[in-house]
Amino acid sequence: MQHVRRFTPRTLLGSLMLGVALLSGCASTGSSLLSGAQADDRLTSGQDAKFFSRSGFQACAGAAAVGVLACMLSNSSNKAACAIIAGVAACGVAMGTNYYLDQRRTEYANTTERLAAMQRDVEADTANILERTRTAQQVIADDKRQIADIEKHMKAKTMEKKQAEKQLARIDKNIEVLNRDLKNMTEKVSLYRDVADAERKDGGKKAEVQRLDRQIDEMNVKVAVLQKEVDDLYSMRSAVTLG
């Protein structure tokens, strides 16, 4: 007879906490375990680094860990069930348009006030994108100068290939970090577009929703500016050949 494994609350809790631990570890260590190269400190430890450094899925891991810990320290009669529910709820908090929309609708029953709050959120994220772009532009300018310097030295045969590879690996890591941030920014824009569409379908005032649409479009333009900067750096980096 085939043995059927039964999943008790204890085993479910263990699985959840293991998943949280693994996800949290990935979110905190990034891909530096896979390579000795480190990104520029301005991209990883600056004030603006935190805003778009994690995707919703990674944020879910941190939020779930907090929820699980709270349950284990609580007086709940069924800590295992509490932890499972908290973990699932935390992922919903971190990942979705629906959660954001529900949260704002709970806070603001009045549509005009709610849309005004959403507009402030978009403005704040747009300001964060501008700050991140200023930092990125400084790093990108330095990286372009370094690439030109590498090419000059390699042509003159005054730099060893290993040294050039080491410098290029750091630039590659910078591009990786910036592309990650761009992906998360794009997800933010998509979330806000979904929210605006939901408000429109639910009868939000046309002028107010259109104002939100314009702010989202402006945010998207700022993301596109940074995308072009990163694409230009990637193209310059890709053209480098070390022989």
Side-chain angles (χ1 to χ4, degrees):
M1 178 183 295
Q2 183 179 5
H3 177 69
V4 178
R5 184 178 179 183
R6 296 179 62 83
F7 288 89
T8 65
R10 184 180 299 277
T11 58
L12 286 172
L13 173 60
S15 298
L16 174 65
M17 295 190 73
L18 175 61
V20 166
L22 290 172
L23 285 171
S24 298
C26 290
S28 62
T29 61
S31 59
S32 61
L33 294 175
L34 303 179
S35 171
Q38 297 292 326
D40 192 295
D41 289 343
R42 288 171 292 180
L43 295 180
T44 58
S45 59
Q47 179 62 28
D48 57 305
K50 64 183 179 180
F51 295 119
F52 300 99
S53 62
R54 296 189 304 169
S55 68
F57 188 65
Q58 290 171 323
C60 161
V66 172
V68 170
L69 180 60
C71 283
M72 300 312 292
L73 297 177
S74 73
N75 294 322
S76 172
S77 59
N78 192 338
K79 287 184 170 60
C82 170
I84 293 166
I85 293 170
V88 173
C91 290
V93 166
M95 293 188 69
T97 301
N98 289 337
Y99 172 80
Y100 173 81
L101 192 57
D102 289 345
Q103 182 186 44
R104 283 288 175 255
R105 286 177 174 174
T106 298
E107 293 170 337
Y108 303 96
N110 181 282
T111 304
T112 297
E113 292 178 356
R114 183 169 65 251
L115 286 168
M118 292 174 178
Q119 290 165 21
R120 290 193 294 271
D121 290 342
V122 175
E123 287 174 358
D125 275 333
T126 301
N128 292 335
I129 289 170
L130 286 171
E131 184 178 356
R132 189 60 166 168
T133 298
R134 283 190 287 270
T135 300
Q137 286 171 334
Q138 295 171 6
V139 174
I140 289 170
D142 289 345
D143 283 350
K144 285 182 175 180
R145 281 192 290 270
Q146 188 169 25
I147 290 171
D149 192 54
I150 290 170
E151 290 182 314
K152 182 179 73 173
H153 282 293
M154 291 301 294
K155 185 176 181 179
K157 298 182 180 180
T158 55
M159 177 183 287
E160 292 185 1
K161 184 177 179 180
K162 285 187 177 180
Q163 183 182 357
E165 288 174 342
K166 184 177 180 180
Q167 292 181 14
L168 289 172
R170 184 176 176 84
I171 293 171
D172 290 341
K173 185 62 68 171
N174 290 341
I175 294 172
E176 178 184 321
V177 170
L178 289 168
N179 277 325
R180 177 204 64 196
D181 289 352
L182 280 163
K183 178 177 180 293
N184 294 336
M185 289 176 189
T186 301
E187 288 177 356
K188 273 275 190 180
V189 172
S190 179
L191 179 148
Y192 285 128
R193 289 203 191 282
D194 289 343
V195 166
D197 287 342
E199 289 289 355
R200 193 172 3 258
K201 290 175 182 177
D202 285 352
K205 291 183 180 179
K206 183 177 180 180
E208 293 172 349
V209 178
Q210 286 179 337
R211 191 177 303 119
L212 179 59
D213 285 333
R214 287 194 295 272
Q215 288 179 302
I216 297 168
D217 288 341
E218 181 180 346
M219 180 180 178
N220 192 48
V221 168
K222 300 297 187 289
V223 175
V225 169
L226 179 55
Q227 181 72 67
K228 185 178 185 306
E229 296 268 6
V230 176
D231 288 346
D232 287 347
L233 175 61
Y234 177 77
S235 295
M236 187 174 180
R237 161 63 184 95
S238 299
V240 176
T241 56
L242 300 180

